[in-house]
Amino acid sequence: MKSERNQVIQGLRGIACTLVFISHTYRMLPFVNDYVQSIYIDMGRLGVLLFFLISGVLTGYQDKNYNYSFKEWISYMFRKVNKFYGLYVVSVLAMFILSYDSFVRPEWQLDHNNLIIRTMLHVFLLQSYVPKLGVAYSYNGPTWFLSVCLLLWAVTPLLVYYIKKTSAKSRICLLLSIFVVQCIYLIGIFSMQLPEQRWFMYVCPVFNLMVYSVGLIAGMLLVKSMCVGQD
């Protein structure tokens, strides 16, 4: 049974990878109009959301004890960031040096028109919190994903700790509540036609945290149902 579940999760991962890959290939097509481009971009958006959802399911399914002290939480975060941060900073600085001319164009500027602010946002993995795709993508586009992951890693111990104290019924209610909030959020974004609509639906850390939380609760419910079945 566990092997079958792992195969399903790996299959979903494969689908997510395929969607993200396809979304980056539309420029290779012999013809591209706005409609085709929007379809390809939506594929990538769906793939990324699926990644966050699967990450939440896997974290909840692992059923780890995250009852950390503050010192243990700091150590946990350090281990996560230490795996990639050195190479990440090198890539950010390299992109800044090699593509400096593209960053001084008016359409890529921060409100303060200050490249130092942009650099600091990236160095501290905060680029995804500015509601402008030009900021999130500017130095090394895909690294906005790491910026969001930093938030997920930071709150995971707290989420797991408190959700474990709730009953299965309470978890279902919480999952449904988050899902309803997501639907209201998306309806609001669509209806308001915001200029940075794609940021709110794709990059926004809070929205991705909601997607991750749905997966996390679903994974914890799965574990709880397995324990009840075994009893």
Side-chain angles (χ1 to χ4, degrees), residues 78 154 228:
F78 179 80
V228 171

Side-chain angles (χ1 to χ4, degrees), residues 40-59:
Y40 272 71
I41 289 174
D42 287 340
M43 283 184 179
R45 185 180 300 160
L46 179 61
V48 170
L49 292 180
L50 192 54
F51 267 123
F52 284 125
L53 186 68
I54 293 171
S55 296
V57 171
L58 288 173
T59 301

Side-chain angles (χ1 to χ4, degrees), residues 4 19 29 36 99 110 119 130 136 139 141-142 151 155 159-160 165 183 194 206 211:
E4 291 178 0
L19 289 172
L29 296 175
V36 172
S99 306
L110 286 169
T119 304
V130 179
Y139 281 15
L151 172 66
V155 301
L159 288 175
V160 172
K165 293 185 175 183
C183 292
L194 297 174
V206 175
V211 174

Side-chain angles (χ1 to χ4, degrees), residues 150-165:
L150 187 67
L151 172 66
L152 304 186
W153 296 329
V155 301
T156 291
L158 190 64
L159 288 175
V160 172
Y161 177 74
Y162 283 104
I163 293 173
K164 274 192 170 184
K165 293 185 175 183

Side-chain angles (χ1 to χ4, degrees), residues 68-75:
Y68 290 159
S69 65
F70 180 73
K71 184 177 180 180
E72 290 169 333
W73 176 80
I74 292 294
S75 177

Side-chain angles (χ1 to χ4, degrees), residues 6 16-17 22 27 36 47 69 78 87 94 151 155 172 176 179-180 195 197 205 210 217 221:
N6 289 337
C17 287
I22 291 175
R27 292 185 179 89
V36 172
S69 65
F78 179 80
L87 184 59
L151 172 66
V155 301
I172 293 173
L176 293 175
F179 180 74
V180 170
Q197 189 180 81
M210 288 191 288
I217 298 169
L221 282 170

Side-chain angles (χ1 to χ4, degrees), residues 56-68:
V57 171
L58 288 173
T59 301
Y61 186 67
Q62 288 171 357
D63 196 30
K64 288 186 178 180
N65 182 13
Y66 286 100
N67 189 13
Y68 290 159

